Amino acid sequence: MKQKISGFHQDAVGDWVADLACGHTQHVRHNPPLVNRAWVITPKGRDEHIGMELDCKKCDATPSSEVGEMIDDPIPEEKRRVAEAIKGACLKTALEAYQHAKMSGLCQEGAWELAMDAIRSLDVEAVLGQLPG
């Protein structure tokens, strides 16, 4: 079943995953020469693909009655907007802290710990204050 991409996040190993409108997720790796998705490695490329449709294999495997329930009970737009803002801020904060730690010479484990600490210290009120209206 075709579903629109509503956002992106990275999994635990840094591969990009598309968040679908149905609530499911799907990896969108750039793995040349097998899979060429260079657009996924830049913020601009990912932004340009919001709204693009992907085949959701999980929806295909879900009985149609359950799919109908998922579509009829969407997350309210305000809650989705807040959740997306916080998710985006967490991902940005973690990625920046991780990259800074690696460039400073920390090992993988140390960089990961710094990234997690950066998320823990994220000022959620500041993130919410940046939301429009």
Side-chain angles (χ1 to χ4, degrees), residues 78 81 130-133:
E78 179 64 18
R81 197 167 59 91
Q130 294 174 358
L131 287 172

Side-chain angles (χ1 to χ4, degrees), residues 98 102 106-115:
Y98 180 84
K102 289 298 285 180
L106 264 66
C107 66
Q108 183 84 11
E109 185 177 331
W112 179 249
E113 286 178 23
L114 251 170

Side-chain angles (χ1 to χ4, degrees), residues 41-54:
I41 59 177
T42 66
K44 182 178 186 248
R46 290 188 300 277
D47 287 346
E48 290 173 351
H49 283 77
I50 298 289
M52 180 180 101
E53 291 186 338
L54 294 176

Side-chain angles (χ1 to χ4, degrees), residues 22-52:
C22 60
H24 295 130
T25 60
Q26 185 171 322
H27 276 93
V28 284
R29 294 179 180 94
H30 175 57
N31 188 17
L34 302 174
V35 180
N36 188 10
R37 291 190 183 117
W39 56 266
V40 80
I41 59 177
T42 66
K44 182 178 186 248
R46 290 188 300 277
D47 287 346
E48 290 173 351
H49 283 77
I50 298 289
M52 180 180 101

Side-chain angles (χ1 to χ4, degrees), residues 13-132:
V13 296
D15 288 331
W16 285 101
V17 179
D19 302 316
L20 303 178
C22 60
H24 295 130
T25 60
Q26 185 171 322
H27 276 93
V28 284
R29 294 179 180 94
H30 175 57
N31 188 17
L34 302 174
V35 180
N36 188 10
R37 291 190 183 117
W39 56 266
V40 80
I41 59 177
T42 66
K44 182 178 186 248
R46 290 188 300 277
D47 287 346
E48 290 173 351
H49 283 77
I50 298 289
M52 180 180 101
E53 291 186 338
L54 294 176
D55 282 320
C56 180
K57 292 166 182 52
K58 290 181 182 175
C59 278
D60 289 340
T62 303
S64 59
S65 61
E66 289 181 32
V67 171
E69 289 172 16
M70 290 175 8
I71 293 170
D72 290 342
D73 190 21
I75 297 170
E77 187 57 35
E78 179 64 18
K79 284 185 178 182
R80 179 177 299 281
R81 197 167 59 91
V82 169
E84 290 293 337
I86 292 172
K87 177 177 75 172
C90 287
L91 289 170
K92 180 178 183 250
T93 299
L95 186 58
E96 287 173 357
Y98 180 84
Q99 289 173 337
H100 178 72
K102 289 298 285 180
M103 288 174 39
S104 297
L106 264 66
C107 66
Q108 183 84 11
E109 185 177 331
W112 179 249
E113 286 178 23
L114 251 170
M116 293 300 98
D117 286 344
I119 292 174
R120 287 183 193 101
S121 64
L122 183 65
D123 184 352
V124 175
E125 290 199 22
V127 174
L128 295 176
Q130 294 174 358
L131 287 172

